């Protein structure tokens, strides 16, 4: 009964910064990141990217848990700035141990040398990226996240947690009162009345993140439904000719297959019914534009060379 939804401007900003690193795939944000490349290259993002290893620990103090559904960026940043310096020192050191030589870089050594200076550097980067890159597009991002919360809340009101978790994200499974994340770590947590904080994300687009450590309420951060439509207006004209050839929805699905994906993942990203996606994929497959390949218990679709050539010609 304590399940709730919340958004986080700071979380979205940090996840956008992560997408600038070679280890992360930008996915549907590739075009957006290209459009703001001049703003990003003018900023030194290393203090934050060093502390965001692809696999490993990232400082908890950089992502304070939201206490209200729609926190303001300024309030979240103020919470980070108030972090005790002992905690900054401890969490920065722990993260740098997981960053493959990060503690031996000039920036890493500076972060370790003075926690007060480290806190100023980190909050400065986050503030700059917010102001220069994320804030101008925040109304669009916020609209996507709000739409996800409205959709999920309606499902919960109509069918309870069973309905909510049935479609929250393809990586999540709900059975007999247990929520399971596929391809997750081997961790277990009895909620014992704590409920869940559910946070849709636009820039954490490729996987579900679970947070179980204090001071967070047990939290699930998941890619927002329909995130493939976030920048769609910018690319609609470019895909118009492909849409006239194969149909608008099939053109969108084909263009969105930058990496292999299952029917359920595509349905979630494009805010479509799974049956609709399956029908369109069948047509694309029969036309030689995509192929389905079994990976363990699921079928992932990818573009064929012909499909790649068509998309490249369109864009």
């Amino acid at each position: 009964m304590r399940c709730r939804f919340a958004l986080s401007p700071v979380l979205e900003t940090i996840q956008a910064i992560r997408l600038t690193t070679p280890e992360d795939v930008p996915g549907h944000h590739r075009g957006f990141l290209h459009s703001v490349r001049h703003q990003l290259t003018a900023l030194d993002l290393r203090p934050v990217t060093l502390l965001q290893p692809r696999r490993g620990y990232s400082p908890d103090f950089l992502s304070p848990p939201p206490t209200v559904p729609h926190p303001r960026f300024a309030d979240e940043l103020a919470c980070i700035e108030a972090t005790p310096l002992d905690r900054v020192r401890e969490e920065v050191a722990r993260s740098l141990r997981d960053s493959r030589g990060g503690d031996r870089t000039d920036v890493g050594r500076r972060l370790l040398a003075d926690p007060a200076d480290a806190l100023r550097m980190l909050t400065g980067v986050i503030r700059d990226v917010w102001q220069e890159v994320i804030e101008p597009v925040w109304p669009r991002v916020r609209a996507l996240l709000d739409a996800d919360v409205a959709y999920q809340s309606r499902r919960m009101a109509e069918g309870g947690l069973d309905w909510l978790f049935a479609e929250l994200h393809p990586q999540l499974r709900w059975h007999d009162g247990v929520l399971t994340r596929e391809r997750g770590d081997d961790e277990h947590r009895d909620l014992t009345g704590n409920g869940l904080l559910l946070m849709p994300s636009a820039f954490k687009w490729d996987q579900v993140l679970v947070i179980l450590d204090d001071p967070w309420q047990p939290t699930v951060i998941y890619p927002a439904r329909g995130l493939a439509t976030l920048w769609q207006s910018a690319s609609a004209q470019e895909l118009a000719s492909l849409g006239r050839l194969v149909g608008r929805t099939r053109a969108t699905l084909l263009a969105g297959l930058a990496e292999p994906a299952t029917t359920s993942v595509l349905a979630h990203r494009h805010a479509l019914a799974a049956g609709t996606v399956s029908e369109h994929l069948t047509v694309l497959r029969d036309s030689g534009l995509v192929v389905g390949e079994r990976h363990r218990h699921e079928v992932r679709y990818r573009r064929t060379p012909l499909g790649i050539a068509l998309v490249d010609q369109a864009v």
Side-chain angles (χ1 to χ4, degrees), residues 22-55:
E23 294 81 11
D24 278 80
V25 178
H28 295 282
H29 301 298
R30 189 183 306 277
F32 166 69
L33 292 177
H34 180 74
S35 71
V36 295
R37 63 191 183 283
H38 297 303
Q39 295 93 314
L40 289 170
T41 55
L43 302 172
D44 185 0
L45 307 180
R46 291 176 298 170
V48 172
T49 57
L50 269 179
L51 302 182
Q52 302 291 317
R54 178 65 177 177
R55 296 194 179 279

Side-chain angles (χ1 to χ4, degrees), residues 16 36 57 79 127 133 136 160 193 207 226 238 251 268 272 282:
V36 295
Y57 175 78
C79 183
R127 182 186 294 108
V133 177
Q207 58 182 301
E238 297 173 336
H268 183 84
L272 296 169
T282 298

Side-chain angles (χ1 to χ4, degrees), residues 224-261:
R225 182 177 182 269
L227 66 86
T229 68
L230 179 58
W231 315 115
Q232 198 171 70
S233 60
S235 60
Q237 185 174 356
E238 297 173 336
L239 291 175
S241 59
L242 182 59
R244 288 193 294 270
L245 178 65
V246 302
R248 185 177 63 180
T249 301
R250 286 193 280 272
T252 300
L253 290 171
L254 188 61
L257 277 173
E259 55 278 320

Side-chain angles (χ1 to χ4, degrees), residues 194-217:
N194 290 323
L196 279 174
L197 171 58
L198 301 169
M199 296 178 61
S201 175
F203 290 98
K204 189 66 177 178
W205 70 274
D206 62 337
Q207 58 182 301
V208 173
L209 178 64
V210 175
I211 302 176
L212 300 177
D213 299 328
D214 293 331
W216 285 76
Q217 178 183 3

Side-chain angles (χ1 to χ4, degrees), residues 9 13 73 125-136 138:
T13 302
F73 174 84
V125 171
I126 295 170
R127 182 186 294 108
D128 289 344
V129 174
W130 166 259
Q131 293 175 345
E132 297 293 328
V133 177
I134 303 301
E135 189 176 22
W138 182 245

